[in-house]
Amino acid sequence: MTTTWFITGTSSGFGRLLTEQLLARGDRVAATLRRPEVLDDLRAEHGDRLWTARLDVTDAERVRRVVDEAFAALGTIDVVVNNAGYGLLASVEEASDEQIRRVVDTNLLGSIHVIRAALPHLRAQGRGRILQVSTAGGQTTYPSLGYYHASKWGIEGFCETIAREIAPFGTTLTIVEPGATPTGFGSSLDTAPPMPAYADTPAGDTRRAFADGAFPVPNSAEKIATAMIDLVDSDATPLRLPLGPDTYADVHTALTDRLAEHEAHREVAHSVAAVTVG
């Protein structure tokens, strides 16, 4: 049975791999990206099963127009994949105002624009799925990626909230959390001029790890794309899907540490209640 997908950020990485795998198995894909000509090879091979549109997700008006056009052209869309993203490697002081705005506009607001534009159509259909591509960095943190984390923690909080809001309309949402993967993300990270003050700090260590190619990337991009497709095929609807041994380990540690710290403050938390219980 043919499934129709709407995917952002399809020029490379997970977006391109998803598009290739889905078309190869006979599905239809509405692929959006800044330069549609990048997918000319796939269009030549797969014809009208590939619909493309130029899109920068930071342009809310354009997002609404492209989403409306995709639903009109394809009739129904079963799965919306929010994949477009922007990475920024810089300590808190090093990043420029423009870089900070771009990471938030792309990863947080851009994803919100796409979801808001798609929801009226999914509601009208009475069914649909949203896959929000996040990262292990949506629940844990690494120095020099603070602004990237701000956007990913933000979109995870938004998605966790709206997953409950949209469930009554037959629409489900899963946050996909890939670990470090050789998709070109590391080499495409935007950077800022380094400040000497941060050279011998954890922020400097992370910067050097990326520069030297020492940051571990233990995952297969192809397998992650396949796992996302398999999730949809399975009809399972988890709120989160961790993908990668690094994601599993790092998020497990972060959640365990957070819970331990939370428990350590139990008495003081209860001490400020207006009425003492027990």
Side-chain angles (χ1 to χ4, degrees):
M1 187 172 181
T2 301
T3 303
T4 303
W5 301 64
F6 179 98
I7 309 173
T8 65
T10 55
S11 62
S12 62
F14 298 130
R16 170 80 188 208
L17 289 169
L18 280 169
T19 301
E20 291 175 350
Q21 291 187 24
L22 292 166
L23 291 171
R25 74 176 198 161
D27 284 356
R28 298 191 303 168
V29 179
T32 69
L33 62 170
R34 293 188 180 190
R35 295 184 297 117
E37 65 273 14
V38 171
L39 299 183
D40 283 351
D41 58 326
L42 296 181
R43 185 181 297 105
E45 182 178 357
H46 298 284
D48 61 7
R49 286 194 294 107
L50 175 63
W51 183 94
T52 62
R54 188 180 309 276
L55 181 63
D56 179 342
V57 296
T58 65
D59 184 341
E61 182 178 350
R62 176 69 178 165
V63 168
R64 287 190 291 270
R65 185 160 63 251
V66 167
V67 169
D68 288 348
E69 290 172 355
F71 273 91
L74 299 173
T76 61
I77 292 175
D78 304 296
V79 188
V80 175
V81 183
N82 248 336
N83 171 70
Y86 164 70
L88 173 61
L89 182 69
S91 72
V92 65
E93 289 190 81
E94 292 167 345
S96 69
D97 292 346
E98 181 181 0
Q99 288 174 314
I100 296 167
R101 281 193 298 271
R102 185 178 175 192
V103 75
V104 173
D105 284 348
T106 303
N107 299 345
L108 176 57
L109 296 179
S111 292
I112 290 173
H113 296 329
V114 172
I115 291 172
R116 280 171 50 84
L119 279 178
H121 299 282
L122 298 177
R123 244 187 329 103
Q125 291 178 177
R127 61 182 178 81
R129 295 193 61 151
I130 299 169
L131 300 185
Q132 174 64 53
V133 178
S134 181
T135 165
Q139 293 198 73
T140 189
T141 62
Y142 310 95
S144 274
L145 288 166
Y147 293 109
Y148 181 71
H149 290 312
S151 66
K152 291 299 188 180
W153 282 58
I155 195 58
E156 291 213 11
F158 174 79
C159 287
E160 185 167 333
T161 303
I162 67 163
R164 288 181 287 178
E165 294 181 359
I166 64 180
F169 308 122
T171 303
T172 64
L173 186 152
T174 296
I175 303 165
V176 181
E177 297 174 331
T181 310
T183 59
F185 174 79
S187 60
S188 65
L189 280 169
D190 197 2
T191 60
M195 294 175 58
Y198 286 93
D200 297 320
T201 69
D205 293 341
T206 303
R207 181 189 287 271
R208 281 187 293 275
F210 273 100
D212 299 340
F215 197 92
V217 283
N219 305 302
S220 162
E222 290 80 5
K223 288 182 177 180
I224 286 176
T226 301
M228 294 168 65
I229 297 170
D230 288 346
L231 174 70
V232 172
D233 288 347
S234 74
D235 289 330
T237 57
L239 178 60
R240 286 182 172 85
L241 179 67
L243 293 175
D246 52 341
T247 293
Y248 185 86
D250 291 354
V251 172
H252 188 281
T253 297
L255 294 176
T256 301
D257 291 349
R258 200 174 305 148
L259 182 59
E261 184 174 32
H262 182 74
E263 292 292 347
H265 295 95
R266 183 177 186 278
E267 287 190 14
V268 69
H270 284 268
S271 72
V272 300
V275 178
T276 303
V277 179

